[in-house]
Each structure stands twice: as structure tokens, then as C-alpha cells.
Amino acid sequence: MAIQLGRCIVVVSLLALISPLCMGGGYGGYQGGHGGYQGGYLYPQFYDKSCPKAKEIVQSIVAQAVAREARMAASLLRLHFHDCFVKGCDASVLLDSSKNIISEKGSNPNKNSLRGFEVIDEIKATLEKVCPQTISCADIVTLAARDSTVLAGGPYWEVPLGRRDSLGASISGSNHNIPAPNDTLPTIITKFKLQHLDLVDLVALSGSHTIGLSRCTSFRQRLYNQTGNGLADSTLEESFAAQLRGGCPRSGGDNNLFPLDRVSPTKFDNLYYKNIFYGKGLLSSDQILFTKSPDTMALVKLYAENEKLFLEQFAKSMVKMGNISPLTGYNGEVRKNCRFVN
């Protein structure tokens, strides 16, 4: 059953997936630009007429990349997070430095750490041959994050589409807005609130750490000097801490890699929460979800006990995150090369 809302046509079962921009009027769905109805809102069928094979092409190239290197699933998922938390989901994170742009790739959270750019380049180049200047880099990153999650065994969700690409980047936004491994819980909560993401979203989206690897430099202080008193983090399980010290010395080895979920590092499941429950969260920002707030602790326990509930909430929170401040209508552009503005 379909409902006509002005020029917004939505299927009842997809109402939850339509960005609030549609319901609030936004650009009202006027004609113009590239893609589906060319409206100022996001919806999954945006490219169905203008580039019907777009989703299939993205999925195919992501699948090849993850088959070559399982870690790439986590890298592409993280790329989407680090894009959306800075100026919204607008592919600003993909821009290289140029005359008027200082790239976000050089920020503290991203330098020598953020990956997957070559996969996005390959997807974009393929799409440009099939549907020139139609699919935005922002939508490619969003689709790649969903496809990576599914390939790792996680949930599937319909991705609302129709984002456009930014005309600039914000290295200061990247340095200040992205939650850091050693942030306090109140700081992390504030950073999520600034993106209109709540406590449930915070705990569910942290569950993306069920896959991927982290560098020694991101958790070293937990092993040797958590509070400046020369002692290890008391919430870190002792045998796990000893194991980590074996590969993460007091100095050197900054880039030594460790799985965020030591039990099933390439499988998207709820073991991340079970690890935290037993004091085996790798990052401080993981473990404090269990130790610093009764509200987040309750959610960790809930997802540790109920994987289905976690997977459902993760999908909902990913849609919500993907709707952070998108550029639509005539705002921004559709880049020809994701690394540079047109």
C-alpha cells in the first residue's frame, strides 16, 4: 500500500526508513539534479531509475575487497562513522588536501588509521562508467558500510539514498567530533548527542567493534598507566592484560594490531558485549560502557544476552546515523572523483 504525501510517495513498510527531511517538507521532492525523484529527502529507491545497477555494483566490489582481506569490512564500516560524525554523511572524509582543502585524513582519529579509500575509488570509477555523475560518494560510503556488515554476518537494512557530496572538509571537526578510545563516557555521550544519537544508539553502534582490529597506541595507557599513577586499568581482566602486554610494549610497536573482539574477530555477532561483561573489552571506550553508567551497563547486558535484539537495533541506529545532516537537492554536488571536488 502506498501513501501520497505531497510529492513524497512511500510504502508503508518503509516509512521508518525515510529521512525526516521528507516528512518535514525539506525540499519537498522537486525535480532537479541526478537520481530517482530528485527530491530533498532520502529513500532507498533513489537511483532505481537513474542507475538501476548501482547497489549491485557496490555490493560486488565490496564483496571482492572483503574476500581479499576480511578486515576491510570493519574498515569500510568505520569510514562511514568517521564521515557522518563530521559535518554529516557527505563524503568529506574522502577529500584529499588541495589548494583550498585541508583533508580530514590527517586528523588524529584518521591519520595512519582510516582505510578503505581505494575500495571507494574502485566503486566510484566503475559507477562513473555505467552512470556518469549520478551516484554520490556519500551514498557509496553508506552502501559499502551496510554491505560490509552483511558480509561479516551482520544484519541487512534498506539504505535511504539521495545524499550529495560536500564541497569541503573539516579537519577541526574530525579532531573534535569523533569519539576517541580514551574519551570519558560523558564526553562520548555528548559527542553522540551532538549528532542526535541517544544512549541506545551509542551502545548499539559501539557493537561495530565486534569486527576489526585496533592499534597498540589506542589502548596502551590501559596496560601501563590508566590514571597517571603508573598502574594498569583495574577494570581490565588480568590475564587478558598480560596477553596484550606481550604484543604492546610500553614504547614502540604503536602500529601492532589486535582484534577488537578476540573471540570472533571477523564475525559480526554479540560477543563484543560478552567480552565487555568479562572485563575483556579492548579499548577504554568499550569497557566504560559496562563500568561507568548503570544505563549503558544494562544495554551491554541486554545485547550480550540477546543477539537478535542487538542486530535489530544496530540496523536501526545505522539508518539513523546515515541520516545525519545529509546534503540534498541542489546543495553540494555529485563528485566525479571522490578525492576531489569537481
Side-chain angles (χ1 to χ4, degrees):
M1 175 182 165
I3 298 175
Q4 179 123 14
L5 297 169
R7 285 186 60 90
C8 282
I9 300 172
V10 297
V11 179
V12 173
S13 64
L14 289 174
L15 277 172
L17 293 170
I18 304 298
S19 165
L21 293 173
C22 173
M23 303 311 177
Y27 283 86
Y30 63 83
Q31 300 288 331
H34 297 276
Y37 267 101
Q38 295 89 20
Y41 50 87
L42 309 178
Y43 58 106
Q45 302 83 6
F46 193 83
Y47 299 112
D48 283 7
K49 288 194 171 70
S50 60
C51 194
K53 288 197 177 294
K55 295 175 193 172
E56 189 183 313
I57 289 167
V58 175
Q59 198 279 335
S60 171
I61 294 172
V62 170
Q64 291 167 35
V66 172
R68 286 193 300 268
E69 183 194 17
R71 182 189 176 197
M72 188 53 69
S75 299
L76 291 170
L77 185 51
R78 185 167 181 250
L79 194 59
H80 184 41
F81 276 81
H82 285 222
D83 182 32
C84 292
F85 267 73
V86 183
K87 305 194 322 86
C89 309
D90 60 2
S92 63
V93 74
L94 303 179
L95 289 169
D96 285 345
S97 290
S98 60
K99 187 179 175 185
N100 300 314
I101 291 169
I102 300 173
S103 174
E104 292 170 20
K105 295 175 184 178
S107 71
N108 292 327
N110 296 341
K111 192 176 183 182
N112 301 322
S113 173
L114 209 59
R115 314 168 71 245
F117 300 108
E118 294 78 10
V119 178
I120 302 300
D121 289 340
E122 185 184 348
I123 294 167
K124 182 60 174 170
T126 305
L127 287 169
E128 283 301 303
K129 288 174 191 162
V130 180
C131 316
Q133 227 175 329
T134 302
I135 315 295
S136 69
C137 300
D139 278 342
I140 291 171
V141 171
T142 310
L143 283 166
R146 189 275 311 275
D147 292 340
S148 294
T149 303
V150 173
L151 285 161
Y156 175 91
W157 63 92
E158 291 280 2
V159 176
L161 299 166
R163 298 164 193 78
R164 286 164 68 85
D165 299 324
S166 73
L167 299 170
S170 174
I171 192 165
S172 66
S174 188
N175 277 322
H176 295 113
N177 297 352
I178 296 170
N182 293 315
D183 278 349
T184 64
L185 186 57
T187 298
I188 295 171
I189 290 170
T190 299
K191 288 180 177 181
F192 271 74
K193 272 186 182 167
L194 286 171
Q195 311 298 344
H196 305 288
L197 297 171
D198 60 26
L199 218 56
V200 173
D201 299 315
L202 191 169
V203 179
L205 292 172
S206 295
S208 62
H209 286 177
T210 179
I211 56 174
L213 305 171
S214 181
R215 297 185 301 156
C216 165
T217 186
S218 297
F219 59 86
R220 175 184 279 122
Q221 77 175 56
R222 294 193 75 202
L223 304 179
Y224 303 103
N225 193 22
Q226 177 67 353
T227 55
N229 61 2
L231 298 175
D233 184 346
S234 61
T235 66
L236 187 61
E237 197 272 331
E238 285 184 16
S239 64
F240 183 45
Q243 187 184 335
L244 293 173
R245 284 188 203 99
C248 184
R250 280 181 186 272
S251 62
D254 284 8
N255 295 321
N256 292 353
L257 295 170
F258 295 78
L260 287 156
D261 169 0
R262 58 197 286 275
V263 183
S264 57
T266 59
K267 186 172 188 301
F268 203 100
D269 54 26
N270 70 334
L271 286 175
Y272 164 80
Y273 299 103
K274 294 182 180 180
N275 294 337
I276 291 173
F277 184 85
Y278 290 111
K280 295 179 179 179
L282 183 65
L283 306 179
S284 173
S285 55
D286 296 327
Q287 197 60 46
I288 58 177
L289 297 178
F290 193 74
T291 58
K292 295 295 185 184
S293 155
D295 296 328
T296 56
M297 177 196 273
L299 287 164
V300 169
K301 284 180 177 175
L302 186 64
Y303 297 148
E305 291 163 5
N306 191 331
E307 183 173 72
K308 183 171 179 283
L309 190 67
F310 158 56
L311 297 177
E312 286 172 359
Q313 183 57 54
F314 184 82
K316 287 178 192 168
S317 293
M318 284 295 287
V319 171
K320 194 171 168 184
M321 186 183 77
N323 283 347
I324 297 172
S325 307
L327 296 170
T328 58
Y330 287 123
N331 292 317
E333 65 180 12
V334 175
R335 289 182 211 143
K336 297 173 189 173
N337 179 332
C338 293
R339 292 174 183 264
F340 305 99
V341 296
N342 293 342

